[in-house]
Amino acid sequence: DGGITQSPKYLFRKEGQNVTLSCEQNLNHDAMYWYRQDPGQGLRLIYYSQIVNDFQKGDIAEGYSVSREKKESFPLTVTSAQKNPTAFYLCASSYGTSVDTQYFGPGTRLTVL
Amino acid sequence: AQKVTQAQTEISVVEKEDVTLDCVYETRDTTYYLFWYKQPPSGELVFLIRRNSFDEQNEISGRYSWNFQKSTSSFNFTITASQVVDSAVYFCALSERNYGGSQGNLIFGKGTKLSVKP
């Protein structure tokens, strides 16, 4: 079955630690995205990538980093510089630009202890 | 500036009632796309519909229907004969084709939490 997988589903981190969230897709989509969702809020874009080895900052990129070495994979690292990292993180992909429909993974809930 | 407003934070209905979720948007562009997504308690966003700014025809899919009105910048979503399984948070979103900023920007409303009671 084609789709987007994210792992782990739940993640706990101590303050000061970096942590990497995984996102993999087998839909053959060119574009991939990372969003952050806080309680009672909509989604906000962290980073996106339209092609391998290229990515762009979204609205709230500070304290995060990404890589896009393979078409299928777009991992997100939450660094210790991110002041308030506890949130729900959603990965998405689409054929091309944002005007194409974005399909979402199941999400990772990160909690900083 | 781009903006999506979902004024209804929470709605509670009894099963079999019809319910309409409101979405009002602001955009600078003449070419844009509107989306609705459903987020059940599991957390994953499920795509429901995509509509471009040149297609104002209403759409019906089973118990779901969408009313797009450019004159009022609204893209409302109606569930007919609601069911308990419809309980979720519903998001409306906007994307502009010629947005000068990040092309990856899908602007979301804050969502409407729908609770359908048996």
Side-chain angles (χ1 to χ4, degrees):
Chain A
D1 289 335
I4 303 172
T5 57
Q6 291 185 242
S7 61
K9 189 171 178 65
Y10 298 95
L11 189 57
F12 298 90
R13 187 195 93 177
K14 292 182 180 179
E15 278 194 47
Q17 288 181 339
N18 292 354
V19 64
T20 297
L21 282 59
S22 168
C23 177
E24 305 274 336
Q25 56 97 0
N26 61 3
L27 300 169
N28 200 31
H29 286 170
D30 286 319
M32 297 186 74
Y33 312 81
W34 274 106
Y35 291 89
R36 170 183 171 136
Q37 184 179 22
D38 294 286
Q41 301 295 316
L43 279 67
R44 292 182 291 167
L45 183 66
I46 305 172
Y47 267 99
Y48 68 100
S49 168
Q50 292 183 314
I51 195 170
V52 174
N53 292 322
D54 186 51
F55 48 83
Q56 305 296 327
K57 292 182 179 180
D59 297 321
I60 55 166
E62 186 176 349
Y64 300 97
S65 66
V66 294
S67 64
R68 187 85 186 277
E69 296 177 3
K70 298 187 299 181
K71 187 175 183 178
E72 304 79 22
S73 178
F74 191 40
L76 173 74
T77 296
V78 184
T79 75
S80 56
Q82 168 52 231
K83 295 179 181 178
N84 186 19
T86 295
F88 188 53
Y89 291 87
L90 285 153
C91 178
S93 70
S94 68
Y95 279 112
T97 66
S98 65
V99 296
D100 294 320
T101 299
Q102 295 184 24
Y103 296 92
F104 286 80
T108 292
R109 192 168 299 279
L110 173 63
T111 303
V112 174
L113 303 172
Chain B
Q2 294 173 309
K3 187 177 180 182
V4 175
T5 301
Q6 295 180 256
Q8 304 151 308
T9 305
E10 293 192 40
I11 299 176
S12 182
V13 299
V14 176
E15 209 170 16
K16 298 184 183 178
E17 284 186 28
D18 298 347
V19 58
T20 296
L21 309 181
D22 298 333
C23 173
V24 175
Y25 61 92
E26 295 177 27
T27 177
R28 303 169 289 191
D29 209 340
T30 55
T31 303
Y32 53 90
Y33 295 77
L34 295 162
F35 302 80
W36 275 95
Y37 286 88
K38 174 183 179 179
Q39 187 177 42
S42 60
E44 180 175 350
L45 260 71
V46 178
F47 165 72
L48 296 178
I49 190 171
R50 170 180 181 260
R51 175 55 53 89
N52 74 59
S53 53
F54 297 106
D55 183 2
E56 288 195 69
Q57 283 190 343
N58 292 334
E59 179 148 345
I60 298 174
S61 176
R63 296 184 297 107
Y64 295 171
S65 63
W66 291 269
N67 183 355
F68 177 30
Q69 293 199 355
K70 287 178 75 171
S71 61
T72 56
S73 296
S74 65
F75 187 42
N76 296 338
F77 172 33
T78 297
I79 302 175
T80 302
S82 60
Q83 300 177 1
V84 173
V85 293
D86 295 327
S87 297
V89 180
Y90 290 87
F91 290 96
C92 180
L94 163 72
S95 179
E96 293 176 342
R97 186 172 185 86
N98 296 313
Y99 179 54
S102 62
Q103 285 194 0
N105 220 353
L106 189 62
I107 302 299
F108 283 84
K110 292 189 176 182
T112 297
K113 182 177 181 180
L114 174 64
S115 297
V116 181
K117 301 184 187 307

